[in-house]
Amino acid sequence: MDFTIDSATPAVSASFEATPDPRQREILQMLTRHLHDFVREASPTIEEWNSAIAFLTDVGKWCSDTRQEFILLSDVLGVSMLVETINGQDGGTESTVLGPFHMTESPRRMLGDSIDMIGGSRTCVMSGQVRSTSGRPLAGAAVDVWQCTEDGFYDVQQPDVQPPGNGRGLFTTDEDGRYRFRTVVPSHYPIPTDGPVGRLLAATRRHPYRPAHVHFLVSADGHEEVTTHAFVAGSAYTDSDAVFAVKKQLLVDFADCADSGLAAAYGVEAPFVLAEFDIVLQEQA
Amino acid sequence: MDFTIDSATPAVSASFEATPDPRQREILQMLTRHLHDFVREASPTIEEWNSAIAFLTDVGKWCSDTRQEFILLSDVLGVSMLVETINGQDGGTESTVLGPFHMTESPRRMLGDSIDMIGGSRTCVMSGQVRSTSGRPLAGAAVDVWQCTEDGFYDVQQPDVQPPGNGRGLFTTDEDGRYRFRTVVPSHYPIPTDGPVGRLLAATRRHPYRPAHVHFLVSADGHEEVTTHAFVAGSAYTDSDAVFAVKKQLLVDFADCADSGLAAAYGVEAPFVLAEFDIVLQEQA
C-alpha cells in the first residue's frame, strides 16, 4: 500500500501472480524486474519519461500494413537478432533476421531459372547444397530466396519499375540436395529513415545501411527450418550493419568466374559472378 | 562483425558511442543493456517476440488526442509511479501520478466555492494549509484540484451529463496559506479497459480499479511544485490500486461531521463530510 522506490518491483510483480498462463506470468514478472532496474538506474526526469512515451507513440503511429516501425526499432536495438540467435540451430547454418520484405510469396521457379526479370548489368549464379547435420544431402528441400536489385530496391518498393516477384524465387533441390539460380549481385541499401527510428539513428549519428545480401528461408522434411542471409563478402557495411545481422559464417564470396565450361553449365556467358552457399539443417528431435 | 548472444550487447552499445548528447548516449546504452538482459533471461520464441511486437503496435494504434494507451501501460507496470517517486520532493508532501484527466484547465474559483456543479448526494468540505518545509504558511499558493463524481466519472468522460469544469477548481490560498472548497466524496473507478492494456489486465486476472481520490497540483513562488492525490481512506482498492499510486501519507480521513458551528463556517448544512489535507512544498535550492 505504500509505494516506494524499493517496494515498486515486488508490488508490481505480485500483481501478476494470479496470471493463469505460467509462461505469461514468468515473462511479465521478468519484464517488471528488468524495466524497473532500467528506470532506477537511468533515473529519468518527468520530461525524459514524456519523451519516451511520445517516441513509442510515434513508432506505433508509423505502423501500417506495409511498414512495421516496431520491428525496425527491435532491429536497430539488436533485439531481433538476439531473439533469432537464441532460437538458432545448433550445428546447422546460422540464422539471421527475416527482415520486412518477405511480405509476398516468392514465385515457384525451376532450378537454373533467373530471378532477375529486369536485366541487371552483371550476371550472377548462386548455387549450393542443402544438407542435414549428419551430412546427408536433402533432396526436395524448399529454398525460398529474395533480394534487392543492383540499385538496392526490392520489388515491393518499386512497383512502377519492377514486376512483382522480381528478385524472388522458390526452388526445390535436386536428388543431390543442390539448388542453383541466376540473379544479379544485390546492393547495400538503407533501412527506412523517414520515421522515428530514422530520427533515432540520425540523432545518434548511426548510418542506416545494411550490407548487400540475399535472403534464404530453407526447409526440408524432418528438419528445422532456417531463416538466414548470404552476405556479399567485401560489401560496404559488413562491419556495421544497421540491424547487426552479420555472422562470419554467412559471408559468401561472390567471385568473378571466367570459366566458359562452368558458364555453359549454368546457361550464362563468361565472365560471370559465382556464389556458392551451402545450407545445413538440423534434424528434428 | 560476428553477432553472438554474448557480443550483442557490446556491439549495440558501441553503435551509440558517437551520440553527441551525452545523456541520450547514456540512456540508450543503459536501455540496450537492460533490454538485452531481459531478452537473454526470458529467451522468447519467435512467436512470443511476434506477440510482443503486435501488442506494442496495438498500444500505439489506440493512442489519440483523448487517449494515451502508452501512459496507461506505463501506469499498470508501475513505471509512471517509479518515475514520479524518483523525482519526488525530499521532506515535502509525497507525489503521485498526474493521471490522464488533467487535460483541461481548471476554472478559477473563490475559496469556499463548490466544485460540484451537478448536486451530489453528500456534501463534502476539503480544506488544509499549504506550508513550506520550513513550516512557514504559503499565502498566494495555487491549488489546482480535479476529481470524479460520486459515480466515478470525470467531466470529460460525460460531456452530456456534466458541464465542463465540474469537479475542477483552481484556488489561491489565503494569508494563512489555507484553502477550502466544497465538493462531493469521489468514487473509485476503473481505468479504460477497452484497449490492449485492458486485455493485459484481464489476461493476468488484475482488476482495473483505482481507489477514490482527489487530484492536487500545488505550486508557490520559490518552491517545487507537487503533483499528488488525497486518497479517501477506507475506499475500495486502496490496497490494490491498478496504477500503484497509493502512499500511506496520502490517505486522508473523509470524516462525518455533525458540528453545526463548523458547518456554518463552511457554508454547508450539518451533517457533512470533512477532509483535512495539508500540503508541504520543498523550498527551491
Side-chain angles (χ1 to χ4, degrees):
Chain A
M1 173 166 93
D2 199 21
F3 188 98
T4 67
I5 290 173
D6 295 321
S7 74
T9 307
V12 177
S13 191
S15 77
F16 288 120
E17 202 55 44
T19 305
D21 178 341
R23 175 64 176 160
Q24 187 177 27
R25 178 173 66 237
E26 178 187 39
I27 287 185
L28 287 167
Q29 291 180 333
M30 281 181 195
L31 172 68
T32 299
R33 184 156 39 78
H34 287 285
L35 187 57
H36 286 197
D37 282 349
F38 167 56
V39 172
R40 271 186 289 257
E41 186 179 351
S43 195
T45 64
I46 303 286
E47 292 70 30
E48 288 171 341
W49 175 82
N50 280 329
S51 298
I53 294 286
F55 177 79
L56 290 171
T57 303
D58 200 22
V59 172
K61 293 276 165 234
W62 273 79
C63 293
S64 69
D65 287 346
T66 55
R67 176 77 172 259
Q68 229 307 349
E69 197 78 357
F70 267 114
I71 292 185
L72 211 55
L73 180 60
S74 169
D75 291 349
V76 303
L77 293 174
V79 170
S80 308
M81 268 305 289
L82 202 48
V83 173
E84 192 60 58
T85 304
I86 285 168
N87 288 281
Q89 306 190 74
D90 285 334
T93 296
E94 292 194 71
S95 61
T96 191
V97 289
L98 181 68
F101 294 116
H102 194 245
M103 32 177 72
T104 56
E105 217 168 284
S106 299
R108 288 195 165 274
R109 300 190 195 270
M110 302 301 289
L111 288 177
D113 277 359
S114 181
I115 64 172
D116 170 27
M117 298 155 74
I118 60 171
S121 66
R122 287 173 81 203
T123 299
C124 174
V125 170
M126 280 209 85
S127 80
Q129 189 182 43
V130 181
R131 290 188 298 272
S132 178
T133 37
S134 67
R136 183 167 58 90
L138 294 171
V143 178
D144 188 355
V145 299
W146 64 105
Q147 67 168 70
C148 69
T149 61
E150 291 176 313
D151 297 327
F153 296 100
Y154 288 83
D155 56 351
V156 291
Q157 295 177 294
Q158 285 188 317
D160 297 338
V161 176
Q162 301 183 43
N166 186 48
R168 301 176 190 270
L170 178 57
F171 298 93
T172 304
T173 56
D174 66 17
E175 66 270 25
D176 296 321
R178 296 198 63 87
Y179 73 86
R180 60 193 168 278
F181 62 90
R182 286 172 290 147
T183 183
V184 293
V185 181
S187 173
H188 60 275
Y189 62 84
I191 62 172
T193 55
D194 50 345
V197 172
R199 290 203 311 276
L200 175 69
L201 294 183
T204 58
R205 302 294 188 270
R206 282 178 52 174
H207 72 72
Y209 290 97
R210 301 215 53 212
H213 59 273
V214 179
H215 293 264
F216 280 77
L217 181 58
V218 181
S219 57
D221 285 348
H223 291 75
E224 299 294 339
E225 183 176 86
V226 69
T227 302
T228 193
H229 298 2
F231 287 95
V232 179
S235 163
Y237 308 110
T238 48
D239 281 331
S240 62
D241 185 353
V243 308
F244 305 97
V246 178
K247 292 176 173 176
K248 278 181 189 158
Q249 195 198 62
L250 305 176
L251 290 169
V252 174
D253 206 15
F254 281 65
D256 288 317
C257 181
D259 185 323
S260 52
L262 259 182
Y266 286 124
V268 298
E269 310 252 311
F272 66 105
V273 176
L274 180 60
E276 298 269 0
F277 183 53
D278 292 351
I279 291 141
V280 179
L281 299 186
Q282 198 185 0
E283 286 184 61
Q284 276 168 353
Chain B
M1 172 167 94
D2 199 23
F3 188 98
T4 67
I5 290 173
D6 295 322
S7 74
T9 307
V12 177
S13 191
S15 78
F16 288 120
E17 201 56 43
T19 305
D21 179 340
R23 175 64 175 158
Q24 187 176 26
R25 179 173 65 237
E26 178 187 39
I27 288 183
L28 286 167
Q29 291 180 334
M30 281 179 195
L31 171 68
T32 299
R33 185 157 38 79
H34 288 286
L35 187 57
H36 286 197
D37 282 349
F38 167 57
V39 172
R40 271 185 290 257
E41 186 179 351
S43 195
T45 64
I46 304 285
E47 292 68 32
E48 287 170 343
W49 175 83
N50 279 331
S51 297
I53 294 287
F55 177 78
L56 290 170
T57 303
D58 199 24
V59 172
K61 295 275 166 235
W62 273 79
C63 292
S64 69
D65 287 349
T66 54
R67 177 77 173 261
Q68 229 308 348
E69 196 80 356
F70 267 113
I71 292 185
L72 211 55
L73 180 59
S74 170
D75 291 350
V76 301
L77 292 175
V79 170
S80 308
M81 268 306 289
L82 200 49
V83 173
E84 192 60 59
T85 303
I86 285 169
N87 287 281
Q89 307 189 74
D90 285 334
T93 295
E94 292 193 72
S95 60
T96 192
V97 290
L98 180 68
F101 294 117
H102 194 245
M103 33 176 71
T104 56
E105 216 167 286
S106 298
R108 285 195 167 276
R109 301 191 194 269
M110 302 300 289
L111 287 177
D113 276 359
S114 180
I115 65 172
D116 169 26
M117 299 154 74
I118 59 171
S121 67
R122 286 173 79 205
T123 299
C124 172
V125 170
M126 278 209 85
S127 79
Q129 189 182 42
V130 181
R131 290 187 298 271
S132 178
T133 36
S134 69
R136 181 166 60 90
L138 294 171
V143 178
D144 188 355
V145 300
W146 64 105
Q147 68 168 70
C148 68
T149 61
E150 293 176 314
D151 297 325
F153 296 100
Y154 288 84
D155 56 351
V156 292
Q157 295 177 293
Q158 283 188 318
D160 297 339
V161 176
Q162 302 183 44
N166 185 50
R168 301 175 190 269
L170 177 57
F171 298 93
T172 304
T173 56
D174 65 18
E175 64 271 23
D176 296 320
R178 295 197 64 86
Y179 72 86
R180 58 192 168 280
F181 61 91
R182 287 172 289 148
T183 184
V184 293
V185 182
S187 172
H188 60 275
Y189 61 84
I191 61 172
T193 55
D194 51 345
V197 172
R199 288 204 312 275
L200 175 69
L201 294 183
T204 59
R205 302 294 188 272
R206 283 178 52 176
H207 72 73
Y209 289 97
R210 301 215 53 213
H213 58 273
V214 179
H215 292 265
F216 281 77
L217 179 59
V218 181
S219 57
D221 286 346
H223 291 74
E224 300 294 339
E225 184 175 88
V226 69
T227 301
T228 194
H229 298 2
F231 287 94
V232 179
S235 162
Y237 307 111
T238 48
D239 281 330
S240 62
D241 185 354
V243 308
F244 305 97
V246 178
K247 292 175 173 176
K248 278 182 188 158
Q249 196 199 61
L250 305 177
L251 290 170
V252 174
D253 206 17
F254 282 64
D256 288 318
C257 179
D259 185 323
S260 52
L262 259 183
Y266 287 123
V268 298
E269 310 252 310
F272 65 106
V273 176
L274 179 60
E276 299 268 359
F277 184 52
D278 292 352
I279 291 142
V280 180
L281 301 185
Q282 196 185 3
E283 287 184 59
Q284 276 167 353

